Amino acid sequence: MKLTIEHLQKSFKDKIAVNDVSFTLEEGIHALLGANGSGKTTLMRMICGIMKADQGIVKMDDIAILQNYKEYTKSLGYLPQNAGFYMDFNIESFLRYIGVLKCLKKDYCEQKIDELLTRLNLQDVRKKKLKHLSGGMMQRVGIAQALLNHPKILILDEPSAGLDPKERIALRQLLSHVGKDTIVILSTHIVSDVESIADDIMLMKQGQILFKKPLPDILQGMSEKVYEINGNEQAIRAFEQDYTIVNRKTDGNIITIRLLSDHKPCAQAIEKEPNLDDVYLSYFREENAYVETDLL
Ligand SMILES: Nc1ncnc2c1ncn2[C@@H]1O[C@H](COP(=O)(O)OP(=O)(O)OP(=O)(O)O)[C@@H](O)[C@H]1O
Ligand SMILES: [Mg+2]
């Protein structure tokens, strides 16, 4: 199976939200990583066919999705960002309702609901009304509804928003299982969500995909660009003015900083192995980006 995006473009008044985006995806996990406002949600909506592109086309196996939209939606699972659901349903009746909307057979649906509630750790609360759920539970219900029809294409807009570290790990495990026979696109601005599971990473900035590469290739491009320096407050402050700082640790009077530089910044600087946080900051340094790292 193949999902092809060709020259997608979308503007809101004079703001270009998605700017001439093209790529082809096969089964696997594809992470769309980008700062707030970079165009991830707009791109995903067009891939789902719920937002009309100004220009460009989305094809599944070489057929335009809008030409055969009913068939396409049968293959599609979608978790919108900040999804608003029917809050008076309880979890299982909400999922049954989605099953009806997706025209799923009753037996299949019951079995799948059971499986997903177990996998997403929601069995104990299956009778709870949505309006009484925590943010993380709601998010897991959203993920369950997206997976209900065993989609061939799964689009998850910020699936880990609101999940605690344990649930984020569980989500990663679920997705790496699903990604074996599904095209998964997930958006995030949390680097640690995608570092271990994404087959490739698409970095989106100001409406454009800057690159689409597997993590090892991305990291290779950052070699000899990450350094660590120890020093007192005064010495370190000078480096902080001149370089992009990825991390800062204080131990008594000694401060250790991790910074990005095209050259060795001083004789005692120690070269470090780059990670995805370093890459992210190197592209988003001017946007006051901060890096959320996993607490575990
Ligand atoms: N319906 C809309 N009307 C006007 N502008 C919009 C609309 N939707 C998105 N935009 C603008 O398009 C740009 C891209 O927004 P989008 O929501 O796609 O970004 P994003 O990467 O998903 O951001 P976030 O990480 O905050 O979810 C932003 O500048 C946003 O303000
Ligand atoms: Mg978004």
Side-chain angles (χ1 to χ4, degrees):
M1 204 178 31
K2 198 172 66 169
L3 184 71
T4 314
I5 279 83
E6 288 176 5
H7 303 294
L8 272 192
Q9 181 108 7
K10 182 77 188 177
S11 296
F12 300 104
K13 297 196 177 132
D14 53 357
K15 166 88 197 171
I16 304 178
V18 171
N19 190 358
D20 194 19
V21 166
S22 301
F23 52 78
T24 299
L25 303 179
E26 293 184 353
E27 286 82 354
I29 301 184
H30 309 280
L32 194 55
L33 186 64
N36 294 140
S38 51
K40 305 180 295 294
T41 296
T42 308
L43 176 60
M44 289 180 137
R45 284 184 174 156
M46 290 190 284
I47 296 174
C48 289
I50 55 172
M51 180 178 273
K52 201 169 175 295
D54 296 339
Q55 282 175 52
I57 192 161
V58 180
K59 294 179 190 166
M60 185 177 153
D61 290 336
D62 296 324
I63 299 170
I65 60 164
L66 297 180
Q67 226 177 60
N68 200 9
Y69 193 56
K70 205 169 164 195
E71 277 308 305
Y72 180 68
T73 54
K74 281 187 197 164
S75 316
L76 185 68
Y78 174 44
L79 171 72
Q81 189 173 14
N82 307 321
F85 295 135
Y86 299 101
M87 302 304 267
D88 268 325
F89 278 103
N90 70 32
I91 294 179
E92 67 175 22
S93 54
F94 171 68
L95 292 175
R96 282 186 189 125
Y97 170 69
I98 294 292
V100 171
L101 292 185
K102 292 191 175 190
C103 303
L104 304 179
K105 291 210 171 91
K106 196 164 182 300
D107 288 352
Y108 164 87
C109 198
E110 288 303 317
Q111 192 198 330
K112 193 73 185 172
I113 288 174
D114 228 41
E115 177 199 318
L116 288 169
L117 291 181
T118 303
R119 279 188 164 272
L120 289 158
N121 198 18
L122 289 167
Q123 279 291 14
D124 293 349
V125 287
R126 61 187 292 159
K127 303 274 185 201
K128 235 184 179 182
K129 284 192 175 180
L130 300 193
K131 64 183 170 193
H132 296 139
L133 300 182
S134 70
M137 284 177 191
M138 269 302 281
Q139 192 70 349
R140 281 179 276 147
V141 172
I143 293 161
Q145 65 78 31
L147 284 165
L148 201 57
N149 56 331
H150 197 106
K152 292 183 189 150
I153 298 171
L154 178 63
I155 298 183
L156 303 173
D157 199 351
E158 309 256 0
S160 57
L163 298 187
D164 65 32
K166 191 165 149 256
E167 296 302 345
R168 276 160 60 186
I169 291 167
L171 175 64
R172 287 203 287 260
Q173 283 165 350
L174 174 66
L175 291 182
S176 52
H177 176 73
V178 170
K180 286 183 190 144
D181 61 353
T182 311
I183 297 175
V184 181
I185 310 177
L186 70 92
S187 75
T188 185
H189 57 276
I190 302 175
V191 164
S192 59
D193 276 348
V194 295
E195 222 163 12
S196 55
I197 57 162
D199 293 297
D200 56 23
I201 295 168
M202 298 180 274
L203 193 79
M204 190 160 193
K205 184 176 177 182
Q206 292 172 358
Q208 292 185 309
I209 302 288
L210 301 190
F211 58 73
K212 172 182 173 298
K213 287 183 195 169
L215 183 62
D217 295 3
I218 297 171
L219 296 182
Q220 206 174 10
M222 283 294 286
S223 63
E224 294 178 38
K225 288 188 177 157
V226 183
Y227 296 90
E228 202 169 87
I229 299 173
N230 299 307
N232 61 24
E233 181 73 43
Q234 199 187 0
I236 291 299
R237 205 171 294 152
F239 288 106
E240 286 179 329
Q241 278 166 6
D242 294 340
Y243 295 93
T244 300
I245 308 299
V246 185
N247 206 356
R248 184 191 220 266
K249 275 185 290 187
T250 306
D251 185 3
N253 289 332
I254 298 297
I255 297 160
T256 304
I257 50 171
R258 183 182 176 97
L259 57 77
L260 307 181
S261 174
D262 289 334
H263 53 272
K264 194 169 179 175
C266 61
Q268 77 271 29
I270 304 159
E271 192 191 323
K272 302 301 273 186
E273 284 282 311
N275 59 36
L276 193 53
D277 287 344
D278 304 320
V279 176
Y280 187 92
L281 272 193
S282 76
Y283 283 94
F284 290 103
R285 66 184 102 190
E286 74 281 13
E287 299 187 21
N288 278 334
Y290 69 99
V291 178
E292 281 185 51
T293 46
D294 210 321
L295 295 173
L296 291 183

